[in-house]
Amino acid sequence: MKDFLKELNNEQRSAVLNTEGPTLVVAGAGSGKTKVLTSRLAHILNQKKAWPNQILCVTFTNKAAKEMRDRVLKNLDGKLNSLSWLGTFHAISVKFLRRHAGAVGLKSNFTILDTEDQKKLIRNISKAENIDAKKISPQFILALIDQWKNKGLLPDEVKTSRKNIFENQILKVYKIYQNKIRDLNSCDFGDLIMYCVKLFEKNPDIRKIYSNNFKYILVDEYQDTNFIQNKWLNLIVNDDKNICCVGDDDQSIYSWRGAEIKNFLSFDKVYPDCKIFRLEQNYRSTKNILNAASFLISHNKDRLGKKLWTESHQGNLVKLNCYKNGKEEARSVGNIIEENVKENNSLNDIAILVRAIYQTREFEERFLKIGINYRIIGGIKFYERAEVKDAVCYLRIVSQKFDDLAFERMLNTPKRGLGDATLKQLHEYSSKNKICLEDSARKLLEINHFKPKVKLLMKQILDLIDKWRSDLKKNKHYDLLKIILDESGYSAMLKNKKDIDNEDRIENLKELLRAMNDYDNLQGFLEHVALATSIDQEWDDERINIMTMHASKGLEFDTVFLPGWEEGLFPHQKSLEEKGDFALEEERRLAYVGVTRAKKNAFISFAIQRVWHGEWMDSMPSRFISELPEEGVEKNDEPVKELNDDYDFNQDKLFDQNEEYRSPGWERLKKKLIKQ
């Protein structure tokens, strides 16, 4: 077996070998955090300190869980088949709740609602309660409900001010919403962890089963945990307190979605006898990049502190550039990338990291103009595409009849003539008799309530559902989907539809069928769909990566551009106004994350003028720029002059007889237009 311990430095090895008692591993950017976590897990198994099912290992994304599993199995040379308790907080919570659903008022085949389902429910409730969606949007309502759930608060436990009309209205919606999803035998993402906490608090015997079983607990990205996640962990820690949390307080950037850095900073107070290991050797960046990042983050007060170092070479100077405006900034970045293309560098190794998503526009326009391929990280996910959601809804209603949202979506998809009037009848009967929509449809058929045409259509779809449930018993779940798409008329609808995007929709459904092959059963696949996160991203062909700094966490690139370092934009004015010094420190941590994504080259820039809300405004350099070190940073203090290779050409007269060579991008664009 491979001696994976030899691949570790001294501090990493100490963090791996000290397996007993509470442990906090402060892992700086690029210091081998995942390597330590996977090596620690492999070491525990190799030394037979625990069986695989006695180790709980928690991650934040499915991608991270897969990477950890693969690394551990590699370290153990395939001697281990599975790690049943390695996964995300939500995925592991599902396992707990499937086993003990009755203790929290659910059936074991409960459905997990996605964001679209939640919004639809909230819209319906808001309408019934005469809440103006223009004044209080469903997104705002859901955000506040999620905040309450992150604090572990059910509707009856929420305390609001009598004077806060908005909160009181939303609390009323929360009560109705929670009762409704309970009636649907469903829960949302917030419920998964909150219900587990309630389960363990109210059932000490159940909690004891798991705390006794899990001899070791390992937690990745601990700085990103929120209140309820941290409570979830503390409830199932065993008497030996063998919990190891790995993370970096300097990379805590998700307070806006509930993360609490105090969980990380107060770990030694919760566990006074804990051991703290600092991983300070960086394996990613050059000395100049690392020096700039370390100097910047040192201005934060609320941090455990560490001094990153590297054996890497000094490397290129960090470039700090000043531009006249955002357009010049985008143009210059395009030029630098063109030089990279000439040197045969891969576009996949280049990233543009912005503070706000609207900053991407100028770069997108520039790249389209000069013919450089790019991807926006954080676009529409595969499982959020309409045709994929349609197919999944069919599978959901086959899986369990209480999923009213799935039943409602598939009832008239494709259109069958079962319109709003029919749906209203179903909802009224369902509400009056406290039964699900499917059962309501069957009862109304029995009493001959529907008009002849509706009666025929409704019977046809219900008969099909019964048939598909029967088919599931004798067919693979992916074969069942083929049957459903054909017999429902969905395939015919796509084939007959005149739409330029129709071919893509068909290919998406083919890909869905391929994806289902990776799962043993329908329930496992549906859980995967529900638990898929926006962080998980498909990477295909060669493109520049454009994303927010938040989305870049955990990634690395040879060359990183960090545009828009201006006061008001970065640090973000709204954040400062809402949270003051706390927000400033988090914004600085965000800057630190951005800079440390770079392995070889980092370009920081700001503009003298920027368009705000359609008007030109003078800009001030970000205060973070003054916090960069003098050494290792090359400052271009002069606004760039008009660039010689001006691409502002008349697209109606692109190819004049006397045109001159412009750039590789110009040539690519020309070829593309000729093909068209």
Side-chain angles (χ1 to χ4, degrees), residues 385-616:
R385 295 168 190 171
E387 62 279 4
V388 174
K389 288 186 74 70
D390 288 340
V392 170
C393 277
Y394 275 102
L395 295 170
R396 281 167 50 182
I397 199 64
V398 169
S399 176
Q400 68 125 339
K401 69 177 182 178
F402 298 99
D403 195 337
D404 283 1
L405 295 168
F407 185 81
E408 186 173 332
R409 183 174 183 126
M410 58 78 67
L411 196 61
N412 207 36
T413 307
K415 294 191 181 300
R416 302 186 177 88
L418 298 171
D420 292 341
T422 304
L423 201 57
K424 185 181 178 183
Q425 292 172 2
L426 290 175
H427 276 292
E428 287 175 351
Y429 194 86
S430 170
S431 179
K432 183 180 178 180
N433 295 279
K434 299 188 183 306
I435 57 177
C436 64
L437 290 183
E438 184 185 325
D439 283 346
S440 296
R442 296 183 186 278
K443 290 288 185 183
L444 289 171
L445 273 178
E446 285 179 16
I447 62 176
N448 206 26
H449 176 82
F450 297 121
K451 293 179 180 179
K453 184 182 176 182
V454 173
K455 181 180 178 181
L456 178 63
L457 292 168
M458 190 66 74
K459 187 176 186 310
Q460 285 175 345
I461 192 64
L462 291 172
D463 286 345
L464 281 172
I465 291 172
D466 291 337
K467 178 184 177 297
W468 296 333
R469 285 172 181 159
S470 177
D471 287 342
L472 181 59
K473 296 175 183 178
K474 53 190 178 186
N475 289 281
K476 293 287 186 181
H477 50 293
Y478 43 84
D479 289 326
L480 174 65
L481 181 56
K482 296 176 188 175
I483 296 169
I484 289 173
L485 291 173
D486 287 335
E487 295 183 350
S488 66
Y490 202 94
S491 294
M493 177 193 73
L494 289 180
K495 289 174 183 175
N496 299 326
K497 197 172 182 181
K498 305 291 181 187
D499 193 312
I500 57 173
D501 296 325
N502 219 44
E503 192 174 319
D504 290 338
R505 295 189 181 103
I506 293 170
E507 286 302 316
N508 285 336
L509 289 174
K510 289 180 179 177
E511 185 59 30
L512 179 65
L513 286 164
R514 286 193 285 270
M516 292 178 71
N517 274 275
D518 295 333
Y519 296 87
D520 295 329
N521 53 56
L522 181 57
Q523 183 174 295
F525 172 70
L526 291 176
E527 281 182 11
H528 163 72
V529 173
L531 296 170
T533 68
S534 60
I535 296 174
D536 298 332
Q537 175 77 28
E538 296 292 328
W539 295 71
D540 58 353
D541 63 40
E542 212 173 287
R543 298 172 182 267
I544 294 170
N545 306 283
I546 308 176
M547 70 195 83
T548 63
M549 281 183 273
H550 283 100
S552 75
K553 189 168 170 292
L555 305 177
E556 59 182 40
F557 307 90
D558 285 350
T559 300
V560 171
F561 294 90
L562 298 150
W565 281 40
E566 299 139 29
E567 284 294 308
L569 178 54
F570 191 47
H572 202 279
Q573 188 62 34
K574 187 179 178 183
S575 297
L576 298 183
E577 289 172 355
E578 291 178 352
K579 296 182 179 179
D581 289 344
F582 176 86
L584 178 60
E585 293 217 341
E586 179 157 282
E587 292 283 298
R588 191 176 284 112
R589 291 195 292 271
L590 190 57
Y592 172 82
V593 167
V595 175
T596 55
R597 298 312 93 195
K599 296 162 70 175
K600 299 177 182 178
N601 303 291
F603 296 84
I604 299 170
S605 59
F606 64 97
I608 294 174
Q609 286 189 318
R610 185 85 57 183
V611 176
W612 290 82
H613 306 295
E615 295 189 6
W616 286 100

